């Protein structure tokens, strides 16, 4: 949600890919792709954003905390980031999502958006369930 230097962003993508592979993810058994090259993520985020009310987003604790760190201004990207996360989940019709405690409210937003979409347009998205990580 913050502007990045293009060269640093490219290096971050390579570093993250290397870390994922170093953790043992086998590209022969799963798909690895750069999400930013899949326009459907942003397209679905736009559609879901049109179904999401602003007061709900303003109540999310991550918005409140990060907005405070941005001199109480915050950006539209920061405010709508949870809708993009919902699109990332729902685009692939995910049924279960591994999340930490700090992301449970964002997953609940994705669940609510899926239910609202399904009620309005017919059953389309599964309502994803949380898989809470244990530390």
């Amino acid at each position: 949600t913050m502007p990045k230097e293009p060269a640093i962003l490219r290096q971050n993508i390579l570093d993250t890919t290397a870390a994922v592979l170093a953790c043992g993810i086998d590209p022969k058994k799963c798909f690895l792709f750069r999400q930013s090259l899949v326009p459907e993520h942003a397209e679905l985020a736009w559609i879901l954003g049109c179904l999401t009310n602003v007061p709900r987003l303003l109540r999310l604790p991550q918005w409140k905390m990060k907005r405070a760190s941005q001199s109480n201004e915050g950006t539209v990207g920061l405010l709508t980031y949870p809708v993009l996360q919902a699109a990332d989940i729902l685009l692939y019709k995910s049924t279960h999502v591994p999340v930490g405690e700090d992301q449970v409210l964002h997953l609940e937003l994705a669940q609510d958006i899926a239910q609202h979409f399904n009620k309005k347009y017919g059953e389309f998205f599964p309502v994803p369930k949380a898989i809470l990580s244990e530390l």
Side-chain angles (χ1 to χ4, degrees), residues 14-99:
L14 293 173
D15 292 346
T16 300
T17 303
V20 165
L21 293 171
C23 288
I25 298 296
D26 184 352
K28 293 177 185 166
K29 295 182 180 178
C30 65
F31 291 105
L32 291 179
F33 61 94
R34 198 163 87 197
Q35 180 178 318
S36 59
L37 295 178
V38 182
E40 289 83 357
H41 285 269
E43 293 165 358
L44 183 57
W46 173 260
I47 292 167
L48 300 179
C50 291
L51 299 173
T52 306
N53 68 51
V54 173
R56 172 76 188 273
L57 298 176
L58 291 172
R59 288 192 301 269
L60 292 172
Q62 287 85 347
W63 161 256
K64 293 175 185 176
M65 291 182 330
K66 290 193 177 182
R67 186 182 67 137
S69 71
Q70 293 180 2
S71 302
N72 282 323
E73 291 187 11
T75 63
V76 172
L78 179 62
L79 179 65
T80 60
Y81 186 71
V83 178
L84 178 60
Q85 285 180 310
D88 295 343
I89 293 165
L90 299 177
L91 181 62
Y92 298 98
K93 296 192 174 185
S94 303
T95 58
H96 293 79
V97 181
V99 294

